[in-house]
Amino acid sequence: MIEVKDINVWINNSHILKDVSFSIEESSVVLLVGPSGSGKSTLLKTLSGVIPSAIKGTVKGFSNPPLESLKRRTMYVHQEPWFFISTPYVWSEVAGYTNIKSTNTLRRVLEEFGLGQHVSRTTYTLSAGEIQRLAFVIAVNSGKEIILLDEPTSYLDKRNSENLVRFVGKLSRDYGRTFVVVDHDLTLWSDYVSKVLYLSGGRLTETSENPFKEVTDYMNRELRPPNSGDGECLKIRVDSFKFPDSEEPLLTNISFEVCKGEVVVVKGSSGSGKTTLLKLIASGCLRNNKIVSSETRHCKAVLVPDNSLLYLSHPTPAEEVGVNGLKYLEYLGISDKAETPIMKLSSGERRRLAIASALSRNYEYILMDEPTAGLDPLNKLRVIEAIIKAADMGVGFVIASHDPFVEMIANKVVCIERS
Amino acid sequence: MSVLKRITELLRLITSLLFRSVFIYGDIEGRHVPIIINLALLATQILVARGGIERLLVVLASVLLTYVIRGSSKVVAYSSVLALIPSTWYFVVSLPFTMSFLTSALIALRVFTVSLSFLCFFYFLNPVEISFVLRLLNLGNLSLYPVLTWRVIPHVMRDMETALLVGEMKKVEAWKSLAIAVLTTEEYVSLYEEGLFSKPDYKPSYEYSIKHTFITLVVLATLILTLLLC
């Protein structure tokens, strides 16, 4: 049994966790939910010793076993999984951090998570979903007893998410491993969790109810695609595209149209080439190449990448969106952060800021990569409603997403699969 | 095309070429040759390249052969374009001094050959081997750094490429996109520190390729013979 009592955490003089107390049975799965910015990641980082060792901060409170010994038994997998991977090849990552040394075992373990064919591949060419699965493989084979997973399914499609959740349940039940998981999807985990903890404003409560039920019910009931476009469309056509390091083309025979005022959702398993497709469309718009064609011979478009920091180009949200865009900060629930330096925003806040900026700049088409990844249902709803509003005003969207709520607002769904 | 667009395009091209010349292709068998032999090959190539045109051509052939036999012929095109950048520069700046097209062309060819040799060396350098050797030398606490460097550089370069693409679409000056990319890099340092904090010590394992080591030794021996005989 792990018992934590009255834990308080301060970072940069900001009181993040307030008198947090809870207990966790060994060999159980505990789900930690709460709105963005409520301190969920901070709690995991405190339990694993990242705070105060790697992040400066003050931790006060009691824990049995003490936090110092807990951190030696704990493996924390970062919310942005690429920061968990430290070697250039998939095999070197697994062989270097686990006891799996034989190529056959390594391949078999990776196979369970659909990574068997990527043993020799470079880790920097893996998709976000593939990196997320690789991080999970290393965490569960590292020999640590307590695994802390920060949004482990945010970049995974439904099939891979369910596979991961099933595996967590199996490891907990059959091998006595303890998991604390931050995720927003309670339904996904419901068969395996023994306890749900709800964190809001730094305070923790145990709950048996789904705290997001109202919002998710609303989304299930109300979300509809926008009224379809006004006729002016972009034609997208990729006959074949392959990376220089690959023998097989990643994308073949892809052809679809996106019209102004329409939402086109691109879905497919992780690693199927969704992000690559968005980047190809983006380059096509810039250079008028044959991938993109339109009746007006131009396309004013922008790409909002999954790492939203790469979209931002101004020091504060207010400067990023300009005077006309302040209303979008309000729509997306970040108007109180208008003057906060972007480097101090959380990843969810940056994501919403990048979307607000793209919406405020009068683009005809916006290409978005996983715009709702890692957002709690309330903020997800804000983003989706903002997209519908913009589409109603004539903006065309191409969105790569695994999120079923995003799919609900699609006028068209383009499915791509590997090969 | 505006100056801004040209600069952004050039930066993206160089980033992409560097990425494709050094970091692609995953872990192929050709990258499992002992670093000491690769280093000896590079040193010999530089020494032989100090001679006349015939010796330069022998070095160039050895570099191209290395790429082809060790299974990376596709990289030659990207590396050659990248090596052309300094060689063109040397050709242009040397011309007013040499006043001879041929002499400047020879200088450019030498720069091209040596640049290509370095790119070839870096391409076949296996960071896992360096980590492995460090661990064998009881320097295990340093063994993470070579692999981490090889992981982080392309990660940052890819992000820089994306930031420049988005910046171009937003019509933002290239320096602003790069400033963000630099800020991102700074943030990456602390994010990697957080991400890797609870991972156990890195214990590299590594196997050498007898076939490719033998091939490289044959190329090396040929170059040494050239050095001694010509």
Side-chain angles (χ1 to χ4, degrees):
Chain A
M1 170 87 89
I2 299 160
E3 279 187 290
V4 168
K5 194 159 172 51
D6 296 333
I7 290 279
N8 283 273
V9 175
W10 291 263
I11 296 171
N12 295 329
N13 295 324
S14 177
H15 196 176
I16 312 281
L17 294 181
K18 296 161 187 165
D19 301 319
V20 168
S21 301
F22 61 93
S23 61
I24 302 170
E25 295 282 343
E26 304 262 348
S27 316
S28 67
V29 182
V30 171
L31 188 63
L32 182 59
V33 296
S36 304
S38 60
K40 302 184 295 296
S41 297
T42 304
L43 181 54
L44 295 194
K45 287 174 190 173
T46 307
L47 294 176
S48 60
V50 172
I51 302 171
S53 299
I55 300 175
K56 280 182 190 161
T58 308
V59 179
K60 285 186 179 167
F62 307 95
S63 161
N64 182 26
L67 288 174
E68 197 55 36
S69 73
L70 199 59
K71 82 174 182 190
R72 283 190 287 274
R73 298 165 54 197
T74 304
M75 174 65 97
Y76 164 66
V77 183
H78 204 274
Q79 183 181 11
E80 293 176 49
W82 32 89
F83 297 114
F84 185 78
I85 305 298
S86 64
T87 77
Y89 311 118
V90 172
W91 74 265
S92 63
E93 186 70 24
V94 181
Y97 285 109
T98 69
N99 291 324
I100 304 167
K101 304 291 176 194
S102 99
T103 313
N104 284 343
T105 319
L106 197 140
R107 199 176 290 277
R108 189 177 46 74
V109 167
L110 288 169
E111 199 67 64
E112 285 188 84
F113 291 92
L115 296 169
Q117 74 276 35
H118 301 308
V119 172
S120 298
R121 202 166 145 195
T122 45
T123 50
Y124 37 84
T125 55
L126 296 176
S127 74
E130 287 164 340
I131 284 275
Q132 199 151 40
R133 283 178 276 153
L134 177 61
F136 181 75
V137 168
I138 291 153
V140 296
N141 286 289
S142 64
K144 302 271 185 130
E145 303 147 49
I146 306 161
I147 319 272
L148 311 177
L149 302 172
D150 202 348
E151 303 197 14
T153 62
S154 53
Y155 294 101
L156 300 186
D157 55 273
K158 192 166 179 271
R159 189 172 55 84
N160 280 308
S161 297
E162 287 170 352
N163 187 33
L164 185 142
V165 173
R166 226 178 3 253
F167 211 81
V168 165
K170 187 178 156 200
L171 285 172
S172 160
R173 191 184 59 238
D174 301 344
Y175 297 92
R177 310 289 278 278
T178 308
F179 289 86
V180 182
V181 183
V182 168
D183 206 325
H184 298 298
D185 192 345
L186 271 82
T187 322
L188 180 68
W189 292 90
S190 58
D191 289 347
Y192 301 96
V193 295
S194 58
K195 192 185 274 189
V196 179
L197 300 173
Y198 179 67
L199 195 60
S200 178
R203 294 192 186 277
L204 190 81
T205 47
E206 203 170 308
T207 177
S208 54
E209 298 282 303
N210 179 352
F212 300 119
K213 188 173 184 307
E214 212 175 307
V215 184
T216 45
D217 283 351
Y218 174 83
M219 287 199 279
N220 275 320
R221 205 175 50 240
E222 301 293 333
L223 289 183
R224 301 269 181 285
N227 300 321
S228 217
D230 67 356
E232 202 177 299
C233 302
L234 274 189
K235 290 189 176 78
I236 292 150
R237 185 188 167 90
V238 181
D239 293 330
S240 179
F241 174 82
K242 80 178 186 69
F243 283 114
D245 58 333
S246 167
E247 296 300 322
E248 297 291 318
L250 177 65
L251 301 168
T252 45
N253 296 327
I254 290 177
S255 171
F256 64 94
E257 274 190 356
V258 52
C259 301
K260 285 185 180 175
E262 244 184 16
V263 175
V264 175
V265 170
V266 180
K267 61 182 262 190
S269 55
S270 55
S272 58
K274 300 185 294 297
T275 301
T276 305
L277 178 62
L278 288 190
K279 286 188 180 171
L280 283 175
I281 301 171
S283 301
C285 281
L286 274 178
R287 285 171 245 302
N288 292 327
N289 63 22
K290 62 179 184 176
I291 289 168
V292 176
S293 58
S294 76
E295 293 141 19
T296 51
R297 291 179 171 275
H298 74 95
C299 83
K300 195 183 168 207
V302 77
L303 169 71
V304 183
D306 58 352
N307 179 356
S308 31
L309 190 58
L310 302 175
Y311 172 92
L312 305 171
S313 47
H314 292 79
T316 63
E319 287 173 78
E320 177 64 42
V321 297
V323 180
N324 294 336
L326 290 175
K327 63 179 181 212
Y328 291 102
L329 293 185
E330 207 167 322
Y331 285 163
L332 293 167
I334 41 170
S335 52
D336 58 327
K337 306 276 180 176
E339 299 301 333
T340 308
I342 54 163
M343 301 311 286
K344 291 196 170 173
L345 299 177
S346 72
S347 57
E349 286 163 346
R350 283 178 192 167
R351 196 175 289 281
R352 283 178 280 151
L353 170 61
I355 293 166
S357 167
L359 295 175
S360 67
R361 288 168 180 251
N362 300 321
Y363 291 106
E364 293 169 350
Y365 299 95
I366 301 180
L367 317 169
M368 289 180 170
D369 198 358
E370 301 289 357
T372 57
L375 296 183
D376 63 79
L378 181 61
N379 283 313
K380 194 178 278 189
L381 176 62
R382 284 174 168 151
V383 167
I384 291 174
E385 285 187 333
I387 291 171
I388 296 173
K389 262 185 203 164
D392 284 338
M393 289 191 295
V395 181
F397 288 86
V398 182
I399 305 175
S401 178
H402 296 121
D403 192 332
F405 291 115
V406 174
E407 198 179 328
M408 287 169 74
I409 63 160
N411 298 98
K412 285 177 201 155
V413 177
V414 176
C415 294
I416 52 175
E417 282 306 329
R418 232 187 151 85
S419 76
Chain B
M1 197 190 265
S2 69
V3 179
L4 160 73
K5 210 168 176 180
R6 275 176 200 276
I7 293 171
T8 315
E9 187 61 25
L10 188 68
L11 283 171
R12 282 190 60 212
L13 182 74
I14 292 173
T15 314
S16 164
L17 276 174
L18 200 58
F19 192 77
R20 290 174 180 206
S21 304
V22 181
F23 294 108
I24 60 166
Y25 275 113
D27 191 28
I28 50 168
E29 201 189 336
R31 275 180 166 161
H32 285 246
V33 172
I35 186 172
I36 195 80
I37 295 176
N38 281 329
L39 210 54
L41 181 66
L42 175 69
T44 317
Q45 281 167 334
I46 293 168
L47 281 176
V48 178
R50 291 169 75 184
I53 178 99
E54 301 84 3
R55 282 170 59 155
L56 263 182
L57 291 176
V58 171
V59 175
L60 197 56
S62 77
V63 178
L64 297 177
L65 208 64
T66 305
Y67 272 122
V68 174
I69 298 177
R70 285 161 76 174
S72 301
S73 48
K74 286 180 193 169
V75 187
V76 176
Y78 305 120
S79 302
S80 301
V81 176
L82 203 60
L84 270 175
I85 299 172
S87 49
T88 310
W89 171 259
Y90 270 86
F91 176 77
V92 172
V93 295
S94 68
L95 206 52
F97 298 99
T98 62
M99 302 296 275
S100 156
F101 184 84
L102 270 179
T103 314
S104 287
L106 191 65
I107 291 170
L109 182 65
R110 183 163 291 121
V111 175
F112 177 79
T113 308
V114 173
S115 306
L116 205 60
S117 306
F118 270 99
L119 285 170
C120 182
F121 171 75
F122 280 114
Y123 175 74
F124 286 107
L125 193 66
N126 198 324
V128 185
E129 188 204 356
I130 305 175
S131 296
F132 179 68
V133 172
L134 284 172
R135 200 166 176 87
L136 288 181
L137 296 171
N138 277 333
L139 295 167
N141 51 341
L142 298 177
S143 66
L144 180 63
Y145 296 105
V147 283
L148 188 58
T149 308
W150 237 251
R151 156 84 187 142
V152 174
I153 292 174
H155 184 183
V156 171
M157 279 168 63
R158 272 177 85 94
D159 280 359
M160 201 175 278
E161 214 181 343
T162 308
L164 286 167
L165 172 70
V166 173
E168 202 180 338
M169 298 185 95
K170 284 171 78 182
K171 298 195 169 33
V172 171
E173 293 91 333
W175 69 266
K176 277 192 178 174
S177 304
L178 283 175
I180 287 293
V182 170
L183 280 177
T184 309
T185 312
E186 251 180 62
E187 195 183 52
Y188 281 7
V189 175
S190 52
L191 287 169
Y192 269 109
E193 203 180 338
E194 282 177 35
L196 303 179
F197 181 79
S198 57
K199 282 175 95 172
D201 283 346
Y202 177 59
K203 292 179 186 136
S205 55
Y206 194 73
E207 281 172 15
Y208 290 102
S209 158
I210 295 170
K211 179 182 142 195
H212 286 278
T213 304
F214 177 73
I215 291 168
T216 313
L217 280 172
V218 171
V219 175
L220 178 62
T222 314
L223 276 175
I224 293 171
L225 274 178
T226 313
L227 190 65
L228 293 174
L229 299 176
C230 305

